[in-house]
Amino acid sequence: EVQLVQSGAEVKKPGESLKLSCKGSGYTFPTYWIAWVRHMPGKGLEWMGIIYPTDSDSRYSPSLQGQVTFSADKSTSTAYLHFSSLKASDTAMYYCARLAGGMDVWGQGTTVTVSS
Amino acid sequence: EIVLTQSPGTVSLSPGERATLSCRASRSVGSSYLAWYQKKPGQAPRLLIDGASSRATGIPDRFSGSGSGTDFTLTISRLEPEDFAVYYCQHYGSLPYTFGQGTNLEIK
């Protein structure tokens, strides 16, 4: 079965760092781009960017450039989303998804709550 | 950046009725590089339509997509109770890929 499994919910304080994970299985992980999508409370889906696990080539949404970093470890079939200094506005559900034209396989999502 | 505008924002229909959702791009997304997703509360989005008109694996044939260039449509021929959700279009024609703001399909 092709699937993406994301790390568990996080509760953090402003200014803290955070790394979310997304582990793929059931397919050749390095050869598909992985997308990250944000869903803020009461808002629509937001495309954050993509990473190619083979070489970690990454493309970011202009609105998020510099605020997050993508990485990947092809040896463990895992992609990561890194926040260096969280803000309250980072509170959201974060999804990873496999890019095959559209996004055909999704992780279950990771809830991130940032509050002092 | 290509901006996708979905209409209507909210539509109220009854089970058995036909739903027609629109997605318009600020410029051509290039051939048919458009996907539609269904989003229900507490669930990850689900790919419905890829390449503007190809149903994803396991999607019932009451869902259909059409259009090209800048104007796209998702049609649900006969609404089932489980179809009431938020629907998003998303393009992948050029970076950055973007989503529309969503159409909320609610029960009348």
Side-chain angles (χ1 to χ4, degrees):
Chain A
E1 179 191 6
V2 176
Q3 60 178 350
L4 295 170
V5 178
Q6 297 184 237
S7 47
E10 301 276 1
V11 179
K12 292 288 192 178
K13 292 183 172 14
E16 293 184 329
S17 64
L18 177 63
K19 198 172 194 178
L20 307 184
S21 68
C22 168
K23 184 174 176 61
S25 61
Y27 73 101
T28 308
F29 183 81
T31 62
Y32 285 82
W33 291 83
I34 291 290
W36 288 96
V37 174
R38 179 166 74 177
H39 194 193
M40 298 171 69
K43 303 294 186 182
L45 300 176
E46 179 182 9
W47 185 84
M48 301 177 69
I50 53 177
I51 182 168
Y52 192 58
T54 293
D55 58 7
S56 293
D57 183 12
S58 299
R59 315 293 173 89
Y60 296 90
S61 168
S63 64
L64 290 169
Q65 187 84 41
Q67 297 183 39
V68 297
T69 305
F70 305 145
S71 63
D73 183 344
K74 59 185 180 182
S75 69
T76 60
S77 298
T78 305
Y80 299 95
L81 170 60
H82 183 236
F83 301 82
S84 59
S85 181
L86 287 161
K87 303 183 291 291
S89 58
D90 292 319
T91 294
M93 176 73 84
Y94 292 86
Y95 294 101
C96 63
R98 187 178 78 165
L99 201 62
M103 291 175 275
D104 66 340
V105 178
W106 290 72
Q108 81 278 19
T110 297
T111 299
V112 174
T113 303
V114 184
S115 174
S116 55
Chain B
E1 174 175 321
I2 295 175
V3 176
L4 298 179
T5 302
Q6 294 185 239
S7 60
T10 299
V11 58
S12 300
L13 294 169
S14 300
E17 291 192 294
R18 181 185 186 92
T20 303
L21 282 59
S22 173
C23 176
R24 176 163 290 178
S26 58
R27 55 184 170 90
S28 176
V29 304
S31 185
S32 303
Y33 297 132
L34 189 109
W36 289 93
Y37 302 87
Q38 179 190 68
K39 178 71 172 74
K40 295 180 179 179
Q43 297 183 18
R46 178 171 71 146
L47 177 66
L48 300 174
I49 300 290
D50 201 358
S53 61
S54 298
R55 272 188 301 278
T57 302
I59 301 303
D61 60 8
R62 64 180 181 273
F63 290 92
S64 63
S66 63
S68 65
T70 60
D71 287 287
F72 300 87
T73 300
L74 174 69
T75 301
I76 311 171
S77 58
R78 284 181 59 85
L79 286 165
E80 297 287 343
E82 62 268 26
D83 297 338
F84 293 92
V86 181
Y87 291 84
Y88 294 92
C89 59
Q90 179 246 334
H91 85 87
Y92 48 97
S94 60
L95 290 167
Y97 305 161
T98 54
F99 287 95
Q101 82 279 17
T103 289
N104 181 26
L105 175 57
E106 62 177 28
I107 297 178
K108 188 172 183 179

